[in-house]
Amino acid sequence: MGTHAYIDPDFLATGELIPKSDIYSFGILLLCLLTGKSALGISKEVKYAVDNGDLNALLDPSAGNWPFVQAEQLAQLALRCCDMNQRNRPDLESDIWRVLVPMKASCQHSTVIYITSAF
């Protein structure tokens, strides 16, 4: 069944488990990774911070220095994943990967530059 805070609210209401249910859980997980906070109520807290231009204060400092542009992109993506209506959630292949793959490539490139310049 899973941990309550990660469970798709539509699944709780209907008992129907679909791929978009996993997208909801993925969004909650992303928000937890970004903030270091527990899953309970995290989407409302992050949405409030994003809407008020205060996302930077919510980011988990123990996770390292988040490039703010990428952290904001991840937060926006995660909030879309956590939409209460399953139909409004992004598709894994066409929407989520479109954000994550270039972000991964960008991070790998930054690491290579850093390692190269260290020698």
Side-chain angles (χ1 to χ4, degrees):
M1 179 83 170
T3 305
H4 182 72
Y6 294 89
I7 297 175
D8 175 12
D10 277 348
F11 170 72
L12 289 174
T14 66
E16 182 182 1
L17 193 61
I18 65 171
K20 296 272 180 143
S21 299
D22 290 336
I23 298 297
Y24 179 88
S25 302
F26 177 69
I28 296 294
L29 181 63
L30 274 179
L31 294 176
C32 290
L33 289 171
L34 281 168
T35 64
K37 296 182 177 286
S38 72
L40 194 58
I42 192 68
S43 61
K44 288 181 183 180
E45 189 173 358
V46 172
K47 178 154 179 39
Y48 181 82
V50 167
D51 289 347
N52 290 294
D54 201 25
L55 178 62
N56 206 30
L58 205 57
L59 297 177
D60 182 8
S62 70
N65 292 325
W66 286 96
F68 184 74
V69 172
Q70 289 180 340
E72 190 172 38
Q73 283 179 316
L74 281 175
Q76 293 286 354
L77 175 65
L79 289 172
R80 288 181 51 222
C81 290
C82 297
D83 195 295
M84 296 299 277
N85 186 335
Q86 291 176 338
R87 289 182 211 104
N88 295 336
R89 294 181 195 148
D91 178 70
L92 180 63
E93 189 172 343
S94 63
D95 296 320
I96 296 173
W97 287 132
R98 191 175 335 144
V99 173
L100 295 182
V101 169
M103 196 174 286
K104 178 183 173 192
S106 171
C107 290
Q108 288 173 336
H109 181 67
S110 296
T111 302
V112 170
I113 291 171
Y114 176 74
I115 292 171
T116 303
S117 65
F119 291 105

